[in-house]
Amino acid sequence: MQILCLKQLAALNKYFWKYRLRLGIGIVFIFLSNYFNVLSPQVTGFVIEFVQKSLNLPGYKSPEKAPEYDFLVQQFIERVDGIDSFSKVVAICGVTILLLALIRGFFLFLMRQTIIVMSRHIEYDQKNEIYDHYQKLDTAFYKQNSTGDLMNRITEDVSRIRMFTGPAIMYLANLIAIISLCVFFMWKRDHTLTMYVLAPLPILAIAIYYINNTINKKSEKIQEALSDLTTNAQESYSGIRVIKSFVQEKAMLGFFTKNSETYKKNALGLAKVEAIYFPSITLLIGISTLLTIMIGGLYYINGGHNIGINTIVEFVMYINMLTFPVSAIGLTASMIQRAAASQKRINEFLKTEPTIKNPEATTAIKLEGNIFFENVSFTYPHTGIKALQNFNLTIKKGEKIAIIGKTGSGKSTVGQLLLRMYDVTDGKIMLDGKDVKQFGLTNLREQISYVPQDVFLFSETVKNNIGFGLDADNSKNVERAATQASVEKEIAGFSNKYETMVGERGVTLSGGQKQRISIARALIKSPNLVIFDDCLSAVDARTENEIIGNLNQYLNDKTAIIITHRIFSLFNFDNIIVLDDGKIIEQGTHIELMNKKGHYAKLYTRQQEQDFKNEK
Ligand code: ADP
Ligand code: MG
C-alpha cells in the first residue's frame, strides 16, 4: 500500500527535471559536506597516534602497518611529518580540525541554498498549477467541494510536498552520504570491528519503523482533532451574532472544551511516544559505542588486529556522526509518506476535467444580443432538481425582458445557462444564430454584464471592486458607474471615498450598498448583453426607482434580462416572463398581462397593495 502511495510522487519528476541542475549540485554539496566531516576523525586519529609516539606514552605499540587514511589526509600527514616541533604539529592538527568544520559548514550552507531553494521553486510552480486548474473548473465542481477542502490542497498539501522536495530529500541524501562514507572508512580500517559496530543498526531501523508508525497514526488523530477544533472556533466567530442572540455562549464553550479535551488527550499520547523515540535511538547508538570500545579495546590489549587507541577514537567519532542522520530516518519517512498522501489528493484533483469545455478552435465572436432558447430543459447534475423544463424564449437585440416568479422557479438558472456556468441538459441556446457552445468561455463571459443574486465583494477598495477585471486606471468610469448605480453619494460619505476598503478590514456595507456596488461593477463593462439577477432586492423603493431611471438610459440599445421578484412599473419591458416550477406560465407586456388578469395581474395588484401599506 505504501509503495503504491509512493508512486504518486512520480508526478513530481517533471519538477525535479526542471530543476535538475539545482538538485544535482545540491547533492554534490551534500556529499562534499559529509566528506569534510569524516576527515576530522582521521586527523584526530593521526594526532593521537603522533602524540603517543612522540611522548612514547606507556602502552604504545607502533602499528604493524601505518593506518591508511584518505588521500587528502595522507597529503596533510606527509607535510606535517617534516615539522620537528611537537607542539607545532599538535596545534596545526587542531586548526585543521577547526578548518574542516568550517569547510563543512560552508558546504552545508550551499546545500541549503540549492535544495531548499529548489523546493521553494517547486512549491511556487505547484501552487500556480493548482490555482490555474481551479480557475478552469466549473461551477458544478465548486458546488461539490467545500472551500476548506480546496484551500487545503493549495496550502496544506503543497507545503507537505515541499517538506519532501526540500528537507526530506536533503536528509535522505545526507543519510546515504554519511553512512556510505563512514562505513567505507571503517571497513578500510578493520572489517570485523566494523561489523560488530554496525550490528545494532538493523535493530535500530526496525525500532524506528515501528515507533514511527505509531507516531504517524497518533499525529493523524491529532490532525483530525485539530481540524474539528478549528472548524468549531471558526464557526463560533463567524456565527457570533447568532450565538449571542440565542444565548448559546455556554453551550458553545462546552462544545469547544470537549473538542479541546480530545485534542489534548491525543497530543499528550503523541508526546509520550515521542519521548521514547530519541532515548531508544540514543540507547542503540550507545550500544554501538560500547561495542567499539569493548571489542576494540580487547583487540588492542590482545594485539594482532593492528588496532590502536586512535582506531577506537576514530570509530567512536564515526558512530557519533551517524547519530543524527539515523535518528532523522523516522522523520524523513513520515515526511515522505505525508507528501505521497498529499500528492495523491492533488493528482486526483488535477485529473478532474471541467465539464464545461471550451470549443476547439475559438475565434472571438462579437455578441449582438439576439437570444433564442430552444426547448431548453435543465437538471442540476448532483441534486437531480429539474430547474427548467421545455423553456422557449426569443429575445431580440435591444429588448428588455423581465423574468419574474417565486423563489425556486428557475429564474437564476436562466442566467447561469446563458453564462455557460452549466450546459443545458436538453435543447439549445442560440446567440445570434450560433450555439452558445461555439463561443469561447472567455469570449462569451467578457461580453455579458452579469450581476449575481448573491453579491460578492472582495476585501479591496471600493474602486477596485467596481473596476474589477479592468486593467487601466478607470477612475472616471468607476465614478460614472457608481453614479449610474446610485451609490456615489454613499461612497462620497466614506472616509476614504473610492479608496475605502470593503469587507474584513474595511467598512461594513449594508446589503443594498453591496448590491449597488455590484451593479456598478457590471455597468462599467458596457457590453451588449446585461443580466441582472434579483439585484435590487435589498434596495428601498425610492433608490430602486432612481436606479431604474438611470438604467433606462444606460440600457438604451442593449439587450437586458432583468430577473426580479418585484415588478417595476416604471420600466418599459418588451416582454415579461412569468416562471413557475421551471415552466413559462405567462408572457407578454405589462398591459397584455394586466388584461389577462392571470398570475401576473394578481402579483402586481398584491405588490401595489403592499407598497401602499408600506408608504402609510
Ligand atoms: P430562482 O432563481 O427562481 O429562485 P433557481 O434558478 O435558483 O431559482 O433554482 C431553481 C431550482 O434549482 C430550485 O429548486 C433550486 O433549489 C435548484 N438549484 C438552484 N441552484 C442549484 C444548484 N447549484 N445545484 C442544485 N440545485 C440547484
Ligand atoms: Mg434566483
Side-chain angles (χ1 to χ4, degrees), residues 596-608:
K596 248 192 195 163
K597 297 199 164 49
H599 294 269
Y600 177 84
K602 233 191 276 168
L603 211 70
Y604 186 70
T605 331
R606 207 185 307 147
Q607 193 188 306
Q608 292 300 93

Side-chain angles (χ1 to χ4, degrees), residues 406-444:
K406 289 191 286 238
T407 34
S409 55
K411 305 182 299 288
S412 297
T413 306
V414 174
Q416 297 281 308
L417 292 178
L418 269 174
L419 283 159
R420 257 197 101 198
M421 293 299 177
Y422 295 93
D423 275 338
V424 295
T425 316
D426 256 316
K428 247 189 217 163
I429 298 177
M430 309 291 279
L431 297 177
D432 304 325
K434 287 182 212 78
D435 194 315
V436 70
K437 289 180 189 169
Q438 287 174 5
F439 285 81
L441 288 175
T442 318
N443 179 227
L444 174 74

Side-chain angles (χ1 to χ4, degrees), residues 80-231:
V80 168
D81 250 355
I83 303 171
D84 42 12
S85 157
F86 161 77
S87 47
K88 222 176 181 180
V89 174
V90 175
I92 290 176
C93 285
V95 171
T96 310
I97 290 172
L98 191 70
L99 261 176
L100 285 174
L102 283 176
I103 296 175
R104 167 165 188 257
F106 178 63
F107 281 118
L108 277 180
F109 165 76
L110 291 180
M111 162 190 93
R112 295 193 75 88
Q113 278 299 303
T114 43
I115 302 265
I116 300 292
V117 166
M118 171 192 78
S119 75
R120 289 290 179 194
H121 277 287
I122 293 181
E123 181 187 28
Y124 172 79
D125 287 355
Q126 210 174 19
K127 277 195 176 164
N128 285 343
E129 187 187 8
I130 295 173
Y131 188 80
D132 192 45
H133 196 72
Y134 274 147
Q135 303 284 311
K136 283 190 205 130
L137 291 168
D138 46 64
T139 330
F141 172 84
Y142 286 97
K143 294 270 178 213
Q144 281 173 69
N145 290 279
S146 74
T147 313
D149 203 37
L150 300 179
M151 291 291 288
N152 261 344
R153 303 257 161 96
I154 209 159
T155 55
E156 192 73 6
D157 283 341
V158 171
S159 73
R160 284 185 176 186
I161 290 164
R162 196 198 74 80
M163 289 307 279
F164 164 67
T165 55
I169 284 195
M170 209 164 67
Y171 291 154
L172 207 63
N174 199 44
L175 181 76
I176 294 171
I178 192 79
I179 286 190
S180 42
L181 282 167
C182 283
V183 172
F184 174 74
F185 285 115
M186 288 201 285
W187 188 257
K188 236 169 98 175
R189 185 59 69 81
D190 191 272
H191 297 354
T192 10
L193 190 57
T194 308
M195 281 198 295
Y196 278 118
V197 168
L198 295 182
L201 276 189
I203 307 172
L204 187 63
I206 293 168
I208 287 177
Y209 178 78
Y210 276 108
I211 297 178
N212 194 52
N213 263 1
T214 322
I215 288 182
N216 272 350
K217 270 187 217 132
K218 295 214 182 249
S219 336
E220 252 160 54
K221 269 209 196 125
I222 289 188
Q223 213 56 45
E224 267 168 43
L226 186 63
S227 155
D228 283 351
L229 203 62
T230 322
T231 315

Side-chain angles (χ1 to χ4, degrees), residues 36-53:
F36 284 101
N37 198 14
V38 296
L39 293 187
S40 64
Q42 303 186 21
V43 175
T44 314
F46 161 75
V47 77
I48 288 176
E49 164 85 16
F50 177 79
V51 171
Q52 277 182 304
K53 194 167 71 182

